[in-house]
Structures are given as structure tokens and as C-alpha cells.
């Protein structure tokens, strides 16, 4: 029944001895680097200067990181503002005790809102072009970056899916299902990595291993969806004249990306938020609906504009 399933027991990252490169951070670096390369090609085609590209990169990095973090706290963990305010913007936790956690808890909806605000100021202060003009172009990089961010979530065993039952593709997220301390206590092995390895490979712990259910790899589903979003937006810009209908590509992007997000939420473990008050849909789905509606309207308006050569 689970012939395509596997147990996920990742290391924390690439250990250089003096420094640990965490996979999630590495995926963000890949996302921003790929975004810069893709946008550089677009700026060269549009005959825009390297200086304007550099400014765009700074605007985007700040908007994504600050917006994604604020979005997560506002929509999913508002109690942090009162209980542990330092953890909102710093990679630490001070409650119940001080701990270096890395940057955890980022919401794509918060990043989307912050990007819209940042790009409004960028068009006004730097590029002097219509707001939708720049949005039509940066969404190609945003879609590509989203692929690697979700892969980073998978590497971190976060934003996991619901139990997959008899579905042939399932993943045992060992680190999510078994706490480090529990792994150490059950196996008697003090090194957590070695303890996890023993749980997987030693028949003595097979019952403990089987207590962790196979789950939908929701992160990979979402990453696969973003591949489609990227390819569609890339094709529309590079292979058609739709880029001349300002707002069209951006509208398509909003519809596709947030439809992917809406659909994946059906197999994703709830991240909390305000869904208990509204019911029916998850917080992520409620937040996706306005973006989808906006995308339909923007694309419809843009499609009525003549293509200007």
C-alpha cells in the first residue's frame, strides 16, 4: 500500500565543522539567487540598468523576510507579540528558556502583502513605471523561489500533511513524530541523530517507528504546483505578447499560485489561526480567496487592453 512511501530522517544541514549551513536557510539563498538571475535576464531585455536591478533585489529580500515573518505571527501566533516579542524578528526563543531556533514560522500570505507594498514604493521611487508592469515581471522569480522555499520546509519537516492512510505516496516525518528527547530516552543513545537512525534500522524499535504515521508530503505537492505556476508565467512573458497587456501575467500568477495553495490546504495539517472562528475553510484557504478573486479581476481587465507593440 505504501510502495512509494519512505521515512524522512534528515540531518540539520551541512556541517562544516565550524558552522552549520541549515538546509532551510540554504534554500532561501538558492531562491533569492535564482530570482536575481531570472530577473536580470528580464531587465536586460527591457534595457533597464543594473542599478535598478540591485535596488529591486534589496526591496524584495526585505519584503519577503519581514513580511513572511510578520504574516506568520499576525495570522497564526499573535500571542508572541506579548509572550516573546524578541522571537518575532530574532532567530531565538526566550520562553520558557533561551534557545537559538533559527528563523522559523514564515507565511507566504504575509510575504505576498509585503511584496505588494514594497513594489508600490519601488515603482514610485526607483523605476518610474506602472505598478502592474513590475508585478508582471517579478512574479516569474517569485514562483521559482517558492519552489525552493517549500523544499526547505520539507527538509525541515515542517508544514507537514495529514495522515495519508492507504495513499501510495506517504512520508514518515520522523523528527515531527518523535521528539529528540523521546528518541534518546527510548533507545538509550545520547546522540539524537544516532538515536533516530537506530529507530529506523534496529528491529527492536519497530513498534516505536510504526507509531509515526505516513503523511502527505504537502510541501512537495505545493512545490510541484509552483513549478507549473513558474512555467506558465515564464512562457507568457518570453513566448507571447501578453507582457504588453499590463497586469495580465500578474493576474494569472495570483490565480494559479493561490489556487495551488488553496488545494494543498486540504491535505495540510492545520497551522491554527482564525479558522476555528470562521469554520468551513482553513486559515490559509480564507487568506487565499481574496488573492484569487483579485487575480481574476486583474487578468480580466488586462485582457481587454489592446496589445501595444
Amino acid at each position: 500500500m505504501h510502495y512509494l512511501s519512505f521515512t524522512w530522517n534528515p540531518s540539520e544541514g551541512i556541517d562544516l565543522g565550524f558552522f552549520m549551513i541549515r538546509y532551510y536557510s540554504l534554500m532561501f539563498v538558492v531562491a533569492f539567487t535564482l530570482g536575481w538571475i531570472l530577473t536580470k535576464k528580464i531587465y536586460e531585455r527591457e534595457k533597464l540598468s543594473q542599478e535598478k536591478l540591485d535596488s529591486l533585489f534589496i526591496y524584495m529580500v526585505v519584503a519577503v523576510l519581514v513580511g513572511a515573518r510578520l504574516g506568520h505571527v499576525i495570522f497564526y501566533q499573535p500571542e508572541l507579540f506579548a509572550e516573546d516579542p524578541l522571537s518575532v524578528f530574532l532567530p531565538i526563543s526566550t520562553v520558557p528558556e533561551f534557545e537559538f531556533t533559527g528563523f522559523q514560522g514564515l507565511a507566504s500570505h504575509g510575504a505576498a502583502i509585503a511584496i505588494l507594498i514594497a513594489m508600490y514604493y519601488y515603482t514610485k521611487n526607483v523605476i518610474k513605471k506602472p505598478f502592474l508592469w513590475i508585478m508582471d515581471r517579478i512574479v516569474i522569480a517569485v514562483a521559482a523561489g517558492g519552489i525552493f522555499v517549500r523544499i526547505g520546509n520539507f527538509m525541515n519537516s515542517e508544514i507537514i500533511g495529514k495522515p495519508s492512510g492507504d495513499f501510495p505516496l506517504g512520508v514518515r516525518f520522523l523528527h515531527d513524530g518523535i521528539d529528540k528527547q523521546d528518541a534518546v530516552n527510548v533507545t538509550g543513545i545520547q546522540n539524537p541523530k544516532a538515536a533516530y537512525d537506530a529507530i529506523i534500522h534496529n528491529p527492536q524499535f519497530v513498534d516505536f517507528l510504526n507509531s509515526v504515521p505516513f503523511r502527505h508530503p504537502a510541501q512537495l505537492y505545493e512545490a510541484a504546483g509552483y513549478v507549473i505556476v513558474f512555467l506558465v508565467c515564464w512562457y507568457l512573458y518570453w513566448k507571447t505578447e501578453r507582457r504588453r497587456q499590463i497586469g495580465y501575467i500578474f493576474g494569472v500568477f495570483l490565480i494559479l499560485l493561490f489556487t495551488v495553495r488553496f488545494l494543498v490546504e486540504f491535505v495540510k495539517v492545520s497551522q491554527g489561526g482564525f479558522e476555528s472562528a470562521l469554520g468551513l475553510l482553513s486559515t490559509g484557504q480564507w487568506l487565499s480567496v481574496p488573492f484569487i478573486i483579485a487575480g481574476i479581476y486583474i487578468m480580466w481587465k488586462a485582457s481587454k487592453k489592446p496589445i501595444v507593440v
Side-chain angles (χ1 to χ4, degrees):
M1 286 185 291
H2 294 110
Y3 54 87
L4 293 178
S5 301
F6 59 93
T7 298
W8 185 237
N9 178 31
S11 63
E12 293 183 4
I14 302 172
D15 192 351
L16 301 179
F18 61 93
F19 183 72
M20 174 75 75
I21 302 177
R22 298 184 182 275
Y23 290 123
Y24 191 50
S25 300
L26 181 61
M27 290 299 102
F28 259 92
V29 172
V30 171
F32 282 125
T33 302
L34 179 59
W36 186 85
I37 293 171
L38 291 168
T39 309
K40 185 174 187 293
K41 294 292 185 182
I42 292 173
Y43 268 47
E44 288 173 351
R45 182 183 196 181
E46 304 287 354
K47 295 180 171 54
L48 293 170
S49 69
Q50 178 74 36
E51 182 182 359
K52 288 184 171 58
L53 175 63
D54 293 341
S55 296
L56 174 66
F57 184 76
I58 294 171
Y59 272 80
M60 286 292 293
V61 170
V62 174
V64 168
L65 296 180
V66 174
R69 181 57 183 156
L70 265 181
H72 174 83
V73 175
I74 292 171
F75 297 137
Y76 298 103
Q77 283 186 290
E79 67 276 6
L80 282 183
F81 286 115
E83 296 175 1
D84 192 9
L86 288 178
S87 71
V88 174
F89 287 114
L90 297 177
I92 62 172
S93 173
T94 61
V95 177
E97 59 186 17
F98 183 87
E99 179 185 3
F100 179 81
T101 60
F103 287 105
Q104 297 180 344
L106 302 172
S108 58
H109 296 93
I113 294 170
I115 288 172
L116 293 175
I117 296 171
M119 289 304 96
Y120 172 80
Y121 283 100
Y122 175 76
T123 56
K124 292 293 183 183
N125 299 326
V126 180
I127 204 169
K128 312 296 184 183
K129 285 183 177 290
F131 170 75
L132 290 178
W133 185 95
I134 190 63
M135 295 308 299
D136 282 337
R137 285 146 180 81
I138 67 164
V139 293
I140 298 171
V142 170
I147 299 167
F148 292 95
V149 171
R150 285 297 177 248
I151 292 174
N153 292 138
F154 178 80
M155 301 292 286
N156 265 12
S157 300
E158 59 190 10
I159 315 183
I160 60 174
K162 296 175 181 177
S164 56
D166 292 333
F167 191 68
L169 175 59
V171 177
R172 271 197 183 114
F173 292 97
L174 200 63
H175 292 196
D176 176 80
I178 301 174
D179 181 78
K180 284 183 181 180
Q181 193 57 51
D182 288 339
V184 168
N185 292 340
V186 167
T187 62
I189 301 172
Q190 294 305 307
N191 181 288
K193 181 67 171 68
Y196 281 126
D197 289 340
I199 291 171
I200 294 175
H201 301 294
N202 191 331
Q204 177 184 349
F205 306 114
V206 66
D207 290 337
F208 196 48
L209 174 64
N210 289 335
S211 70
V212 181
F214 286 101
R215 295 181 178 276
H216 287 285
Q219 319 94 322
L220 299 185
Y221 295 166
E222 201 164 339
Y226 291 169
V227 170
I228 296 172
V229 178
F230 164 72
L231 291 174
V232 171
C233 292
W234 182 91
Y235 178 82
L236 288 173
Y237 177 80
W238 286 101
K239 300 299 182 179
T240 75
E241 295 299 314
R242 290 296 191 181
R243 70 184 183 281
R244 302 185 187 277
Q245 292 178 300
I246 295 178
Y248 187 90
I249 299 175
F250 178 49
V252 170
F253 167 83
L254 289 178
I255 296 169
L256 293 180
L257 184 126
F258 286 99
T259 296
V260 169
R261 180 68 193 273
F262 186 92
L263 294 175
V264 172
E265 285 286 328
F266 283 113
V267 297
K268 187 184 295 184
V269 171
S270 171
Q271 294 177 270
F274 50 76
E275 60 194 51
S276 58
L278 296 179
L280 188 62
L281 301 176
S282 71
T283 300
Q285 288 173 320
W286 281 117
L287 292 172
S288 296
V289 169
F291 287 101
I292 295 171
I293 294 173
I296 293 171
Y297 176 76
I298 292 169
M299 187 185 74
W300 174 74
K301 290 285 289 184
S303 67
K304 290 184 168 296
K305 299 175 183 177
I307 295 176
V308 180
V309 179

